[in-house]
Amino acid sequence: MNTNNAPPPVGSNQPPKMTARGVNVFYGAKQAIKNVSLDVRADEVTAFIGPSGCGKSTFLRCFNRMNDTVDSARVEGEIKLDETDIYAASMDVVQLRARVGMVFQKPNPFPKSIYENIAYGPRIHGLAANKTDMDGIVEGSLRRAGLWEEVKDRLGESGTAMSGGQQQRLCIARAIAVDPEVILMDEPCSALDPIATARIEELIDDLRGKYAIIIVTHNMQQAARVSQKTAFFHLGTMVEYGDTSTIFTNPSEGRTKDYITGRYG
Amino acid sequence: MSLTILFLAAFGLALVGFQIGRARGRTLVATSGIAAGTAARARIGAVHSRPNYHGSFVALLALAPALVVLLGWSFISEGVLTDSVLASVPAAERPETSLDRTSFMNEVRGLAAGEIDEPFDLATIPASRVYAATQTNYNMLAGAVAATLAALGGFWAYSRLTPQFRARNRVEVAVRWGLMLASLVAILTTLGIVLSLIFESLRFFQMVSPIEFLFGTRWSPQTAIRADQVGSSGAFGAVPLFWGTIFIGAIIAMLVAIPLGLMSAIYLTQYAKPSVRKVLKPILELLAGVPTVVYGFFAALTVAPRVRDFAVWLGMSDASSESALAAGVVMGVMIIPFVSSMADDALNAVPGSMRDGSLAMGATPSETVKRVLLPAALPGIVGGILLAVSRAIGETMIVVMAAGLAANLTINPFDSVTTVTTQIVALLTGDQEFDSPKTLSAFALGLVLFGITLVLNIYALAVVKKYREAYD
Ligand SMILES: Nc1ncnc2c1ncn2[C@@H]1O[C@H](COP(=O)(O)OP(=O)(O)OP(=O)(O)O)[C@@H](O)[C@H]1O
Ligand SMILES: [Mg+2]
């Protein structure tokens, strides 16, 4: 048992933040996710790794029901957020998505000002009573995303006029502006250079503990650096799930080992 | 021998040239010592061009000089013929004014073609014989010259065919020139139309001051045929027409088309299931193919009477059966597919990641449309609306049939108003003198209309283009 850089899981005796049980996802007749079960803990970063097309994004998008927006997609099984089934009829997706935020692979700031980008979620969910409140939320979110110092003098400028790395941090700031409980990140650094990537990884590390985070990544080092739990997917099934340190040093499955050591993928 | 036959003969000659050239090209391939089974690499390059290119080269060099001769001849032949016919007429019977000469020649031509039996002017009978004879002679001459040149061109081209000859490259050059000429035709025609608009308008503005035309508020172009007739001086203040055009095309029609077009675009792009969209979108676009005259009689016969009844019910007892409202509403319906397909494009051009980003924030579909997609697509939508306006103000049929001819300056939508296009139709239908201000004012109106739509189109295309670039 190796303990290289991952801190020991904190408070792992608490109930998990989100749980997935027996999840199947179909696109039309084609099954993209096969019977996957997994727990996501509130104080940890969970990484999904696996070769391209194995269903990581599909599975991730089950956690905030973004698959609802794909007409052909159908989800079976049970996913719970704090003991409530998010696919139950009584679940309101608007509220679910306020609690489970998402950051996409390609930075997608709205073509609005930096300020308006952050204020977007709080406005929709009515989180600010007045302008002062909103200013506070915007500043707080930008600070937590480590972007405040860079943009505080140009909040009125367009969010699309920033560098890729800044845009991605803006999207993270936008996601945390509604104070979610879980943040889903789908390859958040794949469009960024190494320096911008390092900043995002730092940011993820800072956010850990405040939000449960699930991150999809193709970058083994990144998974090893930022996550405490890792799930390895292959052809729609979850092959192995466990402490990141274990997965990366002593995987129990041959396929995991092959993938991590770069023998295929 | 008529010119048509000569042209056909030129093409026939070119076809013969093609066959000969291609046969020669095939011989070149056959004699170059390369058998059909040889490796591709050896075969490519042994004879530079394929036989078809050899054939096309010969055909082109035969056709081009013949066409030049025949086209040139067809342009000048009428003038030459007229001169020789008139010269043959005894001086006493020769027509003097240009008008007389035109009618004289018309009779001559009619007689020669056998369309007239008894001419008005008996002097045209011998003249028509001269005409027929001269025409035959000259056409034979032109045909002979064309055939000779075609033969020379063809032979020269044939003599150049060798295995190394780059026929393909020459044919490509000819194709490029041919295509360029074709595109020039459209551009030059447009230019010609614009120039004629400008010149005729200038003639109009010599009779009526531009100030009166552009700012006057009374439009009554009834000039008299005879100078002593009552009301011989017309009034040419075009403001009521401009207002009518804007009132119907840019205001009432857009009040209908913009909301409905936008909403259907939003429904189709954001809400409709793919299966529904696949059915609805083509149907909506089919509406754009309904002939405007159909919309016109729908406006005149179905909508206008209802509008009048409604106006009467509102208390306007003298409401007319032609109204700005009827024409504008139907025109708006006609424009809906246009607005909706432009808005559809604009909304589709907004990257899907914007929509996903907004939905992932917990926004509802309608909040997403309102706060993210519409603002992002706005420039494209505005561009589309401007194009729609420019279409609406150029539209004629509906307003002719449903809005009336009365040049009222009114903001009452139940009144009858008239538009620039309607007036142009009214001015130019029926018998007209070609140099009365009444007729010429049509050109001035056309020029203004052209100017407005041109500016609208240029501006709209610039907006749309700039917006497309923003997301590419
Ligand atoms: N909208 C869709 N419609 C149909 N099939 C889809 C759709 N999205 C994904 N799939 C299919 O589902 C499978 C899983 O796709 P998914 O995007 O989840 O893979 P991934 O692991 O995220 O891959 P990558 O690492 O390349 O992002 C793939 O085979 C893919 O072709
Ligand atoms: Mg993916």
Side-chain angles (χ1 to χ4, degrees):
Chain A
M1 177 91 184
N2 186 308
T3 50
N4 50 359
N5 57 357
V10 202
S12 37
N13 52 350
Q14 284 172 8
K17 188 75 195 167
M18 295 193 85
T19 57
R21 292 290 173 267
V23 173
N24 293 304
V25 185
F26 302 84
Y27 289 113
K30 184 174 160 239
Q31 188 163 9
I33 286 291
K34 295 165 192 153
N35 192 22
V36 173
S37 302
L38 167 121
D39 287 352
V40 176
R41 309 206 76 85
D43 48 10
E44 287 180 345
V45 176
T46 305
F48 291 175
I49 61 171
S52 193
C54 65
K56 307 177 294 291
S57 302
T58 302
F59 188 51
L60 184 75
R61 290 157 58 91
C62 293
F63 287 89
N64 65 346
R65 289 182 57 177
M66 275 304 274
N67 284 328
D68 291 11
T69 65
V70 180
D71 287 311
S72 63
R74 186 163 50 85
V75 179
E76 283 174 1
E78 180 194 80
I79 296 185
K80 284 184 172 169
L81 170 64
D82 283 343
E83 306 296 313
T84 22
D85 183 358
I86 65 170
Y87 281 90
S90 56
M91 187 53 156
D92 180 41
V93 285
V94 167
Q95 281 170 20
L96 169 69
R97 290 179 189 157
R99 293 172 66 190
V100 182
M102 185 160 199
V103 176
F104 295 81
Q105 177 168 1
K106 208 169 142 252
N108 60 346
F110 302 131
K112 298 170 179 280
S113 69
I114 293 174
Y115 185 98
E116 284 303 319
N117 262 283
I118 308 292
Y120 188 77
R123 268 199 225 293
I124 283 173
H125 298 289
L127 301 185
N130 51 43
K131 175 94 172 81
T132 332
D133 265 11
M134 189 59 91
D135 290 348
I137 293 177
V138 170
E139 179 175 343
S141 311
L142 286 169
R143 274 190 197 285
R144 270 186 284 171
L147 202 56
W148 177 250
E149 293 303 325
E150 288 161 64
V151 302
K152 65 179 179 204
D153 300 320
R154 51 191 190 108
L155 292 175
E157 279 175 33
S158 171
T160 51
M162 304 196 293
S163 77
Q166 286 175 322
Q167 289 190 15
Q168 195 60 301
R169 279 182 284 146
L170 180 69
C171 291
I172 295 177
R174 182 175 75 189
I176 58 188
V178 292
D179 202 21
E181 296 155 46
V182 183
I183 302 178
L184 312 175
M185 300 186 178
D186 193 350
E187 303 184 43
C189 303
S190 64
L192 305 181
D193 66 61
I195 295 174
T197 300
R199 298 216 50 172
I200 304 268
E201 288 182 8
E202 252 170 63
L203 174 58
I204 293 173
D205 221 40
D206 289 345
L207 298 178
R208 174 163 58 88
K210 301 189 194 76
Y211 312 97
I213 295 176
I214 310 179
I215 178 171
V216 172
T217 176
H218 274 135
N219 180 331
M220 295 304 115
Q221 287 81 19
Q222 182 170 71
R225 279 192 300 263
V226 302
S227 72
Q228 285 72 51
K229 288 283 194 313
T230 296
F232 171 63
F233 289 82
H234 186 222
L235 297 176
T237 55
M238 190 172 79
V239 175
E240 192 167 353
Y241 169 70
D243 284 342
T244 300
S245 46
T246 318
I247 298 265
F248 276 90
T249 52
N250 191 17
S252 47
E253 288 275 338
R255 278 187 285 174
T256 318
K257 192 168 173 209
D258 287 350
Y259 182 70
I260 286 166
T261 53
R263 218 161 295 163
Y264 75 88
Chain B
M1 220 190 308
S2 79
L3 271 174
T4 323
I5 295 182
L6 288 180
F7 274 106
L8 287 179
F11 281 101
L13 220 55
L15 194 67
V16 173
F18 176 79
Q19 302 289 351
I20 297 177
R22 189 174 58 176
R24 172 79 184 139
R26 286 189 176 145
T27 323
L28 289 178
V29 174
T31 55
S32 63
I34 308 284
T38 333
R41 191 167 312 169
R43 261 181 292 147
I44 294 175
V47 175
H48 175 273
S49 301
R50 308 286 320 278
N52 273 349
Y53 284 108
H54 286 129
S56 307
F57 179 67
V58 174
L60 279 172
L61 279 188
L63 187 62
L67 278 190
V68 169
V69 169
L70 292 180
L71 278 177
W73 170 239
S74 67
F75 276 120
I76 59 167
S77 69
E78 270 320 302
V80 174
L81 285 175
T82 307
D83 282 352
S84 47
V85 166
L86 289 179
S88 76
V89 180
E93 291 166 4
R94 201 174 291 161
E96 266 154 29
T97 66
S98 86
L99 207 65
D100 287 344
R101 233 172 282 147
T102 312
S103 58
F104 184 84
M105 284 311 294
N106 279 340
E107 275 195 296
V108 168
R109 247 175 260 124
L111 279 170
E115 287 159 3
I116 307 180
D117 296 330
E118 286 174 32
F120 186 69
D121 183 347
L122 289 179
T124 57
I125 296 178
S128 78
R129 282 189 213 111
V130 176
Y131 180 88
T134 329
Q135 191 186 36
T136 314
N137 285 342
Y138 275 130
N139 277 358
M140 297 244 290
L141 182 65
V145 172
T148 316
L149 285 181
L152 285 178
F155 279 126
W156 183 73
Y158 184 78
S159 72
R160 300 198 57 191
L161 302 184
T162 61
Q164 291 77 37
F165 182 65
R166 303 185 163 228
R168 168 163 33 89
N169 307 27
R170 319 259 154 145
V171 172
E172 280 306 321
V173 171
V175 165
R176 201 177 68 211
W177 278 92
L179 294 178
M180 203 182 80
L181 284 178
S183 62
L184 272 183
V185 169
I187 294 173
L188 289 180
T189 314
T190 316
L191 204 70
I193 293 175
V194 173
L195 284 181
S196 100
L197 270 184
I198 291 176
F199 282 127
E200 302 294 335
S201 303
L202 285 179
R203 279 175 67 196
F204 172 71
F205 287 131
Q206 280 160 7
M207 300 178 218
V208 176
S209 99
I211 308 283
E212 188 205 328
F213 176 73
L214 288 177
F215 301 106
T217 57
R218 212 172 70 80
W219 178 263
S220 145
Q222 296 313 323
T223 45
I225 309 282
R226 293 191 321 275
D228 55 347
Q229 209 169 318
V230 262
S232 63
S233 65
F236 290 95
V239 169
L241 309 191
F242 298 147
W243 167 247
T245 306
I246 291 171
F247 192 35
I248 292 183
I251 299 178
I252 300 179
M254 290 304 137
L255 282 179
V256 173
I258 293 174
L260 290 180
L262 260 186
M263 285 190 251
S264 55
I266 290 171
Y267 173 71
L268 284 176
T269 56
Q270 307 300 322
Y271 290 87
K273 288 208 174 69
S275 53
V276 176
R277 178 180 160 91
K278 224 163 57 198
V279 176
L280 281 189
K281 201 168 146 65
I283 292 182
L284 197 62
E285 273 159 14
L286 221 62
L287 281 184
V290 175
T292 56
V293 68
V294 175
Y295 282 110
F297 64 68
F298 175 64
L301 301 181
T302 312
V303 179
R306 308 257 142 81
V307 168
R308 189 206 40 224
D309 294 347
F310 182 63
V312 170
W313 181 77
L314 282 181
M316 278 170 264
S317 51
D318 58 345
S320 79
S321 65
E322 289 164 331
S323 63
L325 191 60
V329 166
V330 174
M331 194 189 286
V333 172
M334 182 190 87
I335 297 288
I336 287 174
F338 198 70
V339 172
S340 114
S341 86
M342 294 294 291
D344 196 311
D345 288 350
L347 285 169
N348 268 329
V350 179
S353 62
M354 296 287 138
R355 178 166 168 262
D356 284 352
S358 171
L359 292 175
M361 291 301 302
T364 63
S366 71
E367 283 167 339
T368 301
V369 167
K370 197 175 73 194
R371 292 170 188 256
V372 177
L373 298 180
L374 278 184
L378 195 63
I381 293 173
V382 169
I385 288 172
L386 290 180
L387 286 180
V389 169
S390 102
R391 249 196 86 156
I393 66 177
E395 164 54 32
T396 315
M397 228 43 233
I398 296 174
V399 274
V400 166
M401 297 172 83
L405 285 172
N408 289 328
L409 194 54
T410 173
I411 56 162
N412 178 358
F414 297 106
D415 254 353
S416 102
V417 298
T418 193
T419 68
V420 172
T421 52
T422 316
Q423 280 306 311
I424 293 178
V425 171
L427 290 168
L428 292 184
T429 40
D431 289 338
Q432 303 298 338
E433 266 180 289
F434 248 103
D435 42 7
S436 79
K438 179 182 170 187
T439 312
L440 289 175
S441 68
F443 289 94
L445 289 175
L447 186 66
V448 172
L449 195 64
F450 175 77
I452 293 174
T453 47
L454 186 72
V455 170
L456 271 177
N457 279 341
I458 290 177
Y459 182 64
L461 289 178
V463 169
V464 171
K465 180 158 171 276
K466 197 162 144 227
Y467 160 75
R468 292 252 159 82
E469 281 161 6
Y471 285 112
D472 278 345

